[in-house]
Amino acid sequence: MARQLSNQEIAHLFYQIAEYLQMQEVAFKPRAYERVARAVETLEEPLGVIYRRGGRKALAELPGVGASIAEKLEELVKTGRLRYYETLKRETPVDIEGLSAIEGLGPKTIKVLWQKLRIRKVEELERAARAGKLRTLPRLSAKIEEKILKSVAFQKQRGGRFLIGEALPLARRIEARLKELPQVKIAVVAGSLRRRRETIGDGDILVVSENPDLVTDFFLKMPEVVHVYGRGKTKTMVRLRNGMDFDFRIVPQESFGAALQYFTGNKDHNVALRQIAIKKGWKLNEYGLFRKRKAKSKKRKEAWTKFAGKTESEIYEALELAFIEPEMREMTGEIELARRRFGKGVALPGLVDYEDLLGDLQVQSDWTDGASSIEQLARAAQKAGLSYIAITDHTKRLAMTRGLDEKRLRRQIAEIDSVNRKIGGITILKGTECDILKDGTLDLPDRILVKLDVVGVSIHSFFTLSRAEQTARVVRAITNPHVDILFHPTGRLLGKRAAIDIDMAEIIRAARRTGTILEVNASPERLDLHDVHIRMAVEAGVKIAIDSDAHAATHFSLLEYGVAQARRGWAKKSDVVNTRPVSEMLKLLKKSS
Ligand code: DGT
Ligand code: CA
Ligand code: CA
Ligand code: ZN
């Protein structure tokens, strides 16, 4: 039987096809493949399951999928291969994913690099750029050569970490599979995954089982495992097919809490806990919390007894600390706050919860570069438990997305009215992701902005302005009385593009002064605002909005990463505007106040 590809792998393949087609300068088709890739990567079920249940027809019902793509998906699910892709790959055998992850390198340039210099992969690109061989080629210049070297260096410094959007679903699949084994009592994700860091070095999974050998065998036989670094009685380390390493530990039931605490980290947080234990004359490790026992016989002086370790909370409790949520365990002041028993200090904030969001204020439809219609988005959002969404398509300056001008936006407003009449149970708000121009003015005139419920603004150009210019530009934009939210405030793309140089303290002051909301964009490659900035904003009393930035009806599941990021920034439910019902949320926007 063919190996079952994961949704992630199928999406990767489709992204590559889109790049190949762009290389060949085919019109429209690349976008179609990209849209499908976007939709597939966030499906809740494996494509294979959907296919087995509903056949090719079920595939054709996915967002953006037409007859010809449904056929290709079917081939992939049935055979684990796609001849169409293999042909494209044969014609231009380059590492298209690796190369196109370099900022400044588009498919057409990659084609030139292949044709003129036979460059297949990033290392060859770097060598050629170092030797100054790129600048003379068509589509390239000394400036682009320099930009390429910068981006290569940026990627190296990232050091092979994985986005949480890829790592967490993978870890959860493994966790779920382990839980199905009757021999497994507990299987749980630990490490940076449990703390929901933006990027993950390696995965850590803890298992409680009475039959460690059998569970280890099962783990090693998983289809994703491509290399085994070591197998021990309690610890096994492997590499998976996507290049990610996983540590897998089997721990005794009675030490589970101590092990979970220890392997969740982070390291500095653990060291601090251990020091608290030592001060009390105790010992804390991954097996439990121990205190010295009065030696009964003179021979056995050093006798330790365990008095906590079955659960995590009993460890925090014994150390006279309030329970600290994993997302806060980064040694940035959480321990001081948790010393509740001493009655000093403030209590830990009650963090916004994963169930708290009622709406989503940044959603792109097929009017621009999204894969789904407004109606599909609304129905999917409703299914995801939301009671309102704002449609916020791009504006005209982003020509490649077919950004809306005033005229098309007016038509979209009418369309939203009609969809709202058609479907109940969810409110579709009218919005925009209006481009901030170089000087801080906006891509649409005020007379159309006043017609909208939610005005978001964001930067998609001139990323390299000086700090002073960039800050003034954004301050000017959010000072516009119609602007409600600053979308993805720093513009970074994780592992690909650095944040713009901006004075965030100044932006936060301006947001507070003007009543502007700052976005926590949940898209795993953005996660923007960053956690430190969320904390600054929240402390300053600035409200945040957690948005999916959905580009397909399947993307509302991404909101989870935004909530995680907000929790890492210590945000409470009351700090997040879209935890409120729509009428209350609207009152927090500028024009109603
Ligand atoms: P990563 O994998 O780089 O994204 O980050 P983590 O936090 O998952 O780090 P990892 O996988 O090296 O270790 C998992 C946890 O194990 C870590 O968060 C804390 C704990 N740990 C690892 N090494 C040490 C250590 O030397 N001392 C203490 N106290 N804890 C450690
Ligand atoms: Ca780890
Ligand atoms: Ca590890
Ligand atoms: Zn977009």
Side-chain angles (χ1 to χ4, degrees), residues 250-271:
I250 301 179
V251 302
Q253 173 91 64
E254 68 276 8
S255 310
F256 173 71
L260 182 60
Q261 195 290 312
Y262 182 91
F263 292 112
T264 296
N266 75 6
K267 201 169 151 182
D268 293 338
H269 176 95
N270 287 355
V271 169

Side-chain angles (χ1 to χ4, degrees), residues 286-302:
E286 63 266 50
Y287 300 103
L289 187 57
F290 299 82
R291 67 178 155 228
K292 270 190 194 135
R293 185 170 46 188
K294 290 252 159 57
K296 280 184 190 147
S297 84
K298 280 169 194 159
K299 272 177 263 167
R300 300 173 71 236
K301 275 182 190 157
E302 285 284 277

Side-chain angles (χ1 to χ4, degrees), residues 177-185 208-210 214-215:
R177 228 183 273 156
L178 286 165
K179 278 184 178 155
E180 278 173 19
L181 289 184
Q183 294 82 359
V184 167
K185 281 195 176 150
V208 173
S209 168
E210 246 119 65
L214 184 142
V215 176

Side-chain angles (χ1 to χ4, degrees), residues 371-582:
S372 309
S373 69
I374 293 172
E375 182 175 341
Q376 285 168 333
L377 288 163
R379 291 195 191 279
Q382 197 173 8
K383 242 176 118 184
L386 299 178
S387 62
Y388 58 94
I389 57 171
I391 300 296
T392 55
D393 276 301
H394 292 292
T395 55
K396 61 184 192 296
R397 210 209 61 91
L398 277 189
M400 59 182 185
T401 69
R402 296 186 305 127
L404 304 184
D405 57 13
E406 190 178 343
K407 208 168 123 204
R408 283 182 67 218
L409 186 50
R410 279 180 198 280
R411 275 177 36 217
Q412 187 182 61
I413 289 172
E415 155 99 2
I416 291 175
D417 280 334
S418 92
V419 181
N420 265 328
R421 277 193 298 272
K422 183 168 163 196
I423 59 176
I426 184 159
T427 307
I428 310 165
L429 299 171
K430 298 150 193 166
T432 178
E433 177 176 8
C434 187
D435 230 64
I436 301 176
L437 306 182
K438 190 180 179 192
D439 63 357
T441 58
L442 301 179
D443 198 20
L444 289 175
D446 287 355
R447 63 171 178 270
I448 180 79
L449 299 183
V450 295
K451 306 262 182 228
L452 301 172
D453 301 306
V454 181
V455 175
V457 293
S458 60
I459 282 185
H460 296 105
S461 59
F462 302 103
F463 294 110
T464 56
L465 295 184
S466 74
R467 188 180 179 86
E469 283 172 298
Q470 200 69 278
T471 305
R473 176 188 185 193
V474 172
V475 169
R476 181 170 182 194
I478 65 177
T479 302
N480 180 312
H482 304 293
V483 170
D484 301 306
I485 313 179
L486 177 61
F487 284 162
H488 50 74
T490 78
R492 71 153 169 198
L493 293 176
L494 278 161
K496 191 164 177 179
R497 185 172 72 210
I500 52 174
D501 191 7
I502 197 165
D503 181 349
M504 195 50 78
E506 180 63 35
I507 298 301
I508 287 169
R509 276 193 296 276
R512 191 185 150 82
R513 192 169 61 236
T514 58
T516 310
I517 294 157
L518 299 181
E519 183 183 64
V520 176
N521 190 296
S523 170
E525 59 169 17
R526 290 195 181 273
L527 292 175
D528 183 6
L529 289 180
H530 317 181
D531 47 12
V532 283
H533 294 147
I534 296 171
R535 242 172 108 174
M536 282 165 61
V538 163
E539 271 165 28
V542 168
K543 293 273 182 274
I544 60 174
I546 301 172
D547 300 333
S548 68
D549 200 354
H551 280 70
T554 54
H555 280 181
F556 295 105
S557 62
L558 299 178
L559 282 168
E560 177 187 357
Y561 303 113
V563 177
Q565 184 80 348
R567 286 165 66 85
R568 291 179 56 78
W570 297 22
K572 303 176 294 300
K573 183 176 177 183
S574 58
D575 297 317
V576 184
V577 294
N578 51 324
T579 59
R580 308 191 189 206
V582 64

